[in-house]
């Protein structure tokens, strides 16, 4: 169990009550918002305001120039190509603009590059093909801002280009008719956090004004808000300001008048009841993205463009197949990584994890990197070694460690790289992978070590868990980036019972405090993996949602994380970080030597595992079982490593197993104990 460090937000209850009175909202709502940094009644009112005015699209730089150029193309029957992107944001933007232009009499086609053969954005071969097909004007959606050379080629070939994008530009902009991107330095628009589909929506509003003489964004939303919501949620842009309004409006359309694509995808995913932003993110978007990841992007676009359910269902079934292939590709890579760790367990001690393999599916590297980050709580780079000698990869990180800065320190090794603080893409020569692993970990050792954290918004009591509270939380929707679903703390809960559900894949717990029972569920955890015993007192991080069964509403408590009650986490994580650095320095700094266990501790660890034969939980839980304080967890982990090294126990995946041997061993023969200057006293 990779537990995160809990960040329990500090709240001024008196201030929250005062804010609740000023804003006219329930006290619990004010507590949550104060925990998120809302400290004035006006900020709170703005958050709950459903009548946010949409900004004028012409505030965005080059909007008028771009709309005029497209109007001219429509009037003169020029051939237009909507040039999209293969992810959910790019596909929804492509479907929306293509449909709008076609309905308004444009001679329009679309082109979406293949992730596997074309790569991201404009490329020379595609541009030449479009020229051969008689295209006069290219309109990019969700890409184009970095297409410096491609823009020159488009101009040389006698075509024009209008760029609509939401990615941050470099110092040099492409030469073209118009560049519509709120992140331009010379752009003065107020709201800049749109996804690509959001910028496309603004462009359609401006173009519609040019064509009709009437500014009617409501009409555009009536037609396309579902696509806008899906693309916005999938691209993980902040769900604040206009984005919050756009997603709310889109969810309303999806639930009341869904286009065929949403109806069939919901049915195919087995979704019943209300579609929320989380359901879009976890069930719908991955299926749309699966087509692009597996190199079959046309299927997803045809689904979004379908007007008939029978036709849409055919495409949806294909997407399900691609999604299964995507899941298998991920599982295969994760299995290979597990084998690599079995052969070289020392890799896990690195501050930044780097894994590579031959011909790993490049479409799923980012997902695999995210899974490894979630499992081990460390920045991770996954590389696929290709036949041409280049390894292409994806990087993901945790809050507090900029993967972009880390990669920048190794940029001389790359044939290409780009990204931002928490995610990046890169390519390098296969022969340089080991050098890269060493260099990026050198950088990681040069900056403060960080741990993965979990924000706990508010402490709850069992008495808070009511349907009224569930209804209150629904007012915070839609949830997403910058407005996550709240995570609450249930502290000092006594475990009364634990049962397996869902064919043993999940567990249901009865928890008690102050005489009240709370039933909670932990998904993707078996009875064997649950680390606590009945009767123990545990803290739980939970999400609170609604569950409807046979028409009856119930409060659903879903466990996100858990920890022993009353534990000093500062001591715990300080000890764990010292343990990690035992393996990261050749000569250990003096303060790390304190993590060296004594003979009594090593003996206690050995006898515990000898008596129960195998142990499948973390060193934190073993420390608890042995009665040691949290600051000894690193020493307990060193004890486990030394016993494995000496052949007294063995580690099989996440399980430590006792090994019966007849010969005597000396603790001083352990290399890890030698490094820590262990003395057998």
């Amino acid at each position: 169990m990779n537990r995160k460090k809990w960040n329990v937000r500090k709240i001024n209850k008196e201030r929250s009550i005062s804010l609740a009175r000023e804003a006219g909202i329930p006290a619990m709502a004010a507590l949550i918002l104060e925990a998120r940094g809302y400290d004035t009644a006006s900020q709170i009112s703005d958050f709950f305001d459903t009548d946010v005015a949409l900004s004028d699209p012409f505030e965005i730089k080059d909007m008028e120039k771009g709309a005029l150029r497209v109007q001219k193309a429509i009037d003169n029957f020029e051939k237009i190509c909507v040039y999209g992107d293969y992810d959910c944001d790019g596909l929804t933007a492509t479907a929306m603009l293509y449909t709008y232009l076609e309905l308004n009499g444009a001679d329009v086609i679309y082109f979406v590059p293949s992730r596997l053969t074309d790569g991201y954005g404009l490329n020379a071969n595609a541009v030449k093909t479009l020229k051969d097909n008689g295209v006069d004007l290219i309109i990019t959606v969700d890409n184009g801002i970095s297409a410096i050379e491609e823009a020159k080629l488009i101009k040389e070939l006698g075509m024009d280009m209008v760029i609509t994008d939401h990615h941050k530009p470099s110092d040099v902009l492409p030469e073209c008719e118009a560049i519509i991107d709120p992140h331009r330095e010379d752009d003065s628009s107020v709201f800049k956090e749109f996804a690509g589909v959001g910028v496309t929506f603004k462009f359609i509003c401006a173009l519609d004004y040019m064509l009709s003489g009437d500014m009617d964004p409501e009409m555009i939303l009536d037609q396309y808000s579902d696509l806008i919501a899906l693309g916005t949620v999938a691209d993980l842009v902040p769900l604040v300001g206009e984005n919050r309004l756009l997603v709310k409006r889109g969810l309303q359309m999806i639930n009341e008048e869904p286009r065929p694509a949403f109806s069939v995808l919901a049915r195919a995913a087995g979704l019943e009841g209300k579609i929320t932003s989380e359901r879009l993110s976890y069930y719908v978007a991955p299926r749309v993205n699966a087509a692009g990841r597996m190199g079959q992007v046309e299927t997803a676009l045809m689904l979004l463009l379908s007007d008939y359910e029978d036709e849409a269902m055919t495409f949806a079934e294909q997407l399900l197949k691609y999604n299964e292939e995507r899941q298998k590709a991920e599982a295969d890579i994760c299995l290979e990584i597990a084998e690599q760790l079995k052969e070289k367990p020392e890799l896990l001690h690195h501050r930044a994890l780097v894994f590579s393999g031959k011909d790993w599916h490049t479409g799923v590297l980012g997902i695999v990197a995210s899974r490894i980050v979630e499992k081990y709580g460390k920045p991770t780079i996954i590389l696929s070694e290709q036949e041409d000698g280049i390894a292409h990869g994806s990087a993901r990180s945790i809050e507090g460690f900029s993967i972009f800065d880390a990669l920048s320190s190794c940029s001389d090794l790359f044939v290409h790289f780009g990204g931002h603080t928490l995610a990046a893409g890169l390519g390098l020569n296969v022969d340089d992978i080991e050098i890269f692993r060493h260099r990026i970990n050198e950088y990681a050792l040069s900056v403060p070590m960080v741990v993965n954290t979990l924000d706990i918004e508010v402490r709850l009591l069992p008495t808070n868990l009511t349907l009224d509270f569930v209804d209150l939380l629904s007012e915070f929707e839609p949830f997403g980036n910058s407005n996550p679903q709240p995570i609450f703390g249930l502290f000092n809960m006594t475990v009364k019972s634990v049962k397996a559900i869902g064919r043993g894949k999940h567990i249901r717990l009865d928890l008690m405090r102050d005489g009240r029972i709370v039933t909670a569920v932990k998904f993707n955890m078996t009875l064997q993996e649950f680390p606590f015993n009945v009767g123990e007192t545990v803290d739980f991080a939970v999400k609170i949602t609604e569950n409807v069964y046979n028409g009856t509403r119930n409060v659903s408590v879903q466990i996100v994380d858990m920890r022993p009650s009353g534990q000093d986490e500062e001591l715990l994580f300080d000890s764990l970080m010292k343990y990690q650095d035992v393996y990261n320095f050749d000569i250990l700094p003096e303060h790390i030597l304190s993590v060296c266990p004594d003979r009594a501790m090593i003996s206690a660890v050995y006898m515990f595992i000898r008596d129960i034969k195998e142990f499948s939980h973390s060193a934190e839980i073993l420390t608890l079982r042995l009665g040691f304080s949290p600051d000894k967890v690193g020493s307990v982990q060193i004890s486990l490593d030394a016993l494995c090294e000496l052949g007294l126990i063995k580690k099989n995946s996440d399980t430590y197993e006792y090994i019966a041997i007849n010969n005597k061993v000396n603790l001083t023969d352990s290399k890890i104990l030698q490094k820590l200057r262990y003395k057998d006293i």
Side-chain angles (χ1 to χ4, degrees), residues 76 82 179 201 209 355 417 461 485 522 528 566 656 664:
N76 294 336
V82 178
I179 301 173
F201 162 67
Y209 174 75
F355 299 104
F417 101 97
L461 295 172
Q485 185 176 359
K522 180 72 176 82
Q528 293 72 29
Y656 292 95
K664 187 177 180 180

Side-chain angles (χ1 to χ4, degrees), residues 185 288 381 466 504 530 607:
E185 283 192 6
V288 175
I381 300 94
T466 65
F530 182 66
M607 288 189 290

Side-chain angles (χ1 to χ4, degrees), residues 401-402 405-406 409-410 438-447:
F401 185 92
S402 171
D405 289 348
S409 73
C410 312
H438 176 73
R439 289 266 302 275
I440 197 167
N441 274 286
E442 272 191 333
Y443 172 85
L445 287 170
S446 72
V447 297

Side-chain angles (χ1 to χ4, degrees), residues 20-65:
R21 289 198 195 101
E22 290 179 51
I25 61 172
M28 184 60 77
L31 281 171
I32 296 169
L33 287 173
E34 195 201 345
R36 295 186 171 192
Y38 291 77
D39 54 11
T40 68
S42 62
Q43 286 178 323
I44 291 174
S45 296
D46 288 344
F47 177 83
F48 287 115
D49 186 4
T50 57
D51 297 320
V52 175
L54 292 170
S55 60
D56 185 342
F58 291 102
E59 289 180 0
I60 302 176
K61 182 76 174 178
D62 275 6
M63 185 65 80
E64 184 175 2
K65 287 170 62 178

Side-chain angles (χ1 to χ4, degrees), residues 641-656:
D641 292 357
L643 291 169
C644 286
E645 189 183 353
L646 294 168
L648 295 169
I649 63 175
K650 69 175 181 178
K651 188 176 183 183
N652 185 12
S653 186
D654 294 325
T655 299
Y656 292 95

Side-chain angles (χ1 to χ4, degrees), residues 492-604:
N492 301 312
M493 304 295 293
T494 301
V495 179
K496 301 299 290 183
S497 69
V498 189
K499 296 179 181 177
I501 59 173
R503 298 180 181 178
K505 294 179 180 179
H506 320 296
I507 55 174
R508 182 172 61 228
L509 299 86
D510 283 336
L511 313 171
M512 188 172 74
R513 178 175 171 179
D514 300 331
R516 288 181 176 266
I517 294 290
V518 173
T519 299
V521 174
K522 180 72 176 82
F523 292 111
N524 300 311
M525 177 175 279
T526 65
L527 276 176
Q528 293 72 29
E529 292 168 337
F530 182 66
F532 299 103
N533 297 322
V534 170
E536 289 186 325
T537 305
V538 182
D539 297 339
F540 293 92
V542 299
K543 291 181 178 179
I544 309 299
T545 59
E546 175 189 74
N547 179 45
V548 180
Y549 183 71
N550 287 337
T552 302
R553 298 174 68 216
N554 296 289
V555 178
S556 173
V557 181
Q558 298 176 18
I559 297 170
V560 176
D561 201 5
M562 60 193 86
R563 69 178 188 182
S565 293
Q567 188 146 266
D568 188 327
E569 288 205 325
E570 292 300 326
L571 293 177
L572 177 84
F573 281 93
D574 179 67
S575 183
L576 285 173
M577 286 191 283
K578 287 177 181 175
Y579 162 74
Q580 290 287 343
D581 279 345
V582 169
Y583 291 92
N584 288 322
F585 291 97
D586 293 329
I587 300 175
L588 297 181
E590 196 68 29
H591 74 281
I592 293 179
L593 296 177
S594 64
V595 82
C596 184
D598 59 20
R599 184 179 185 85
M601 175 179 284
I602 299 170
S603 177

